Each structure stands twice: as C-alpha cells, then as structure tokens.
C-alpha cells in the first residue's frame, strides 16, 4: 500500500515553483503582455489577409475581372500568402520599433513609404485595365489595414527597459516615501 507516514513528505506539486525547482527565482517572467501583443498583431494581420481576399472575391468571381499580373493568374492562395507575408513583416517591425522613443511614428512613416512603393508593383507587372485597379486596391487595403490596425489595436509602448523617463522617476530619491 502507498500510505503516507510522518516521514514521507507529500509529493511535489506541479503548480508550486518552490517545491518543484527547489528555489524561487527573484524575478518571475512576464509572458502575458507579450502574448497579448502577439495576439493583437496576429488579429490585425489576419484582418488584412481577409480584407485582401474580400477584394479578390469581389473582383474575380463577382465582377469577372481577369486578374493577371506578369502573365500569371493571381489566385486566392497567392493573395493570402503575400498578404500574410507582408503583414507578418509589418507586425514584427512594429513590435520591435515601438520599444524605442518615437518608434511608432518612425514605423508609420516607414510603412507609408513601403505602401507607396508597393503601389508601383501592379502597373510595372504588366497588368492592365481593371486588373490594375483590383491589384492596387488589394495593396491599399492590406497597407491601410496594417497601418491603422497596428496604431489603434496594438499598444504603442510596452513599458520596456527603453522607457528612460519611467526609470528615472522610479529611482529618484526625492520621490521615495519615508516610513
């Protein structure tokens, strides 16, 4: 039988970090804000992908536009993959740049420049007529969704170690309360 006596300690609990590791770390890792930010970036990116697919659905099956760029038909899979790739690049760069002072403004300027440059792609690809309009609209929808979505949905400052003003206030001895 497996009965506990006074000499047998209780089995270690998996929920108790002191019992399982034998020591407690001085700083507990904070994973919730990162996961929350990652979820928000993913939501904005998926919103941009679905917006581009909505433009494709309206243009190709509904309006009957022959969406051909560079001699290749533009499929919904291509639209989704390119939108997802550009959305991931935008989300990653925003997540990194927002940690620095003025980073969100610099990211917004960079994103607008990249969007402007991407607008030259459809005419340069050899697409003509309504195909150019549909492709330009897809570029615009993905770009605007990512720019506005990142600025409005994802917090601009994570309160990271790069926030020098907050660190200065925390370490100022004149603001410390005496007991």
């Amino acid at each position: 039988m497996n009965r506990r006596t006074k000499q047998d300690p209780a089995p270690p609990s998996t929920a108790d970090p002191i019992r399982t590791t034998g020591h407690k770390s001085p700083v507990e890792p904070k994973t919730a804000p990162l996961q929350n930010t990652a979820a928000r970036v993913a939501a904005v990116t998926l919103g941009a992908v679905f917006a581009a697919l909505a433009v494709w659905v309206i243009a190709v099956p509904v309006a009957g536009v022959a969406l051909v760029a560079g001699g290749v038909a533009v499929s919904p899979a291509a639209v989704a993959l390119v939108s997802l790739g550009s959305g991931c690049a935008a989300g990653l760069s925003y997540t990194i740049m927002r940690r620095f002072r003025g980073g969100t403004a610099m990211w917004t300027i960079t994103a607008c420049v990249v969007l402007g440059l991407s607008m030259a792609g459809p005419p340069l690809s050899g697409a003509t007529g309504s195909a150019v309009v549909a492709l330009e609209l897809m570029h615009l929808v993905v770009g605007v969704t990512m720019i506005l979505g990142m600025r409005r949905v994802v917090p601009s400052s994570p309160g990271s170690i790069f926030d020098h003003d907050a660190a200065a206030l925390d370490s100022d001895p004149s603001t410390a309360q005496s007991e």
Side-chain angles (χ1 to χ4, degrees):
M1 272 195 175
N2 190 7
R3 292 188 179 173
R4 280 190 235 155
T5 63
K6 288 186 179 181
Q7 288 121 0
D8 292 331
S13 170
T14 57
D16 189 0
I18 297 173
R19 287 189 180 191
T20 57
T21 61
H23 69 282
K24 185 176 180 181
S25 63
V27 178
E28 294 295 324
K30 294 181 180 181
T31 57
L34 180 63
Q35 290 174 350
N36 191 16
T37 299
R40 289 175 184 219
V41 169
V44 172
T45 303
L46 288 176
V49 169
F50 287 124
L53 287 171
V55 172
W56 185 89
V57 166
I58 292 170
V60 177
V62 174
V65 174
L67 206 52
V68 177
V72 178
V74 178
S75 68
V79 171
L81 286 175
V82 170
S83 301
L84 186 63
S86 61
C88 287
L92 180 63
S93 62
Y94 182 80
T95 302
I96 292 169
M97 290 180 75
R98 75 187 181 111
R99 296 180 181 268
F100 299 98
R101 183 179 305 210
T104 55
M106 290 177 59
W107 179 84
T108 304
I109 292 167
T110 304
C112 289
V113 169
V114 169
L115 175 60
L117 291 173
S118 79
M119 297 298 280
L124 293 176
S125 71
T128 57
S130 57
V132 171
V133 173
L135 291 169
E136 292 280 359
L137 190 56
M138 280 187 236
H139 281 241
L140 194 61
V141 163
V142 170
V144 169
T145 301
M146 290 306 299
I147 292 169
L148 293 180
M150 289 296 157
R151 291 296 304 249
R152 295 182 190 267
V153 175
V154 181
S156 63
S157 176
S160 69
I161 60 173
F162 300 109
D163 192 1
H164 300 293
D165 294 335
L169 288 175
D170 290 341
S171 64
D172 188 9
S174 64
T175 59
Q177 295 178 353
S178 60
E179 293 182 20

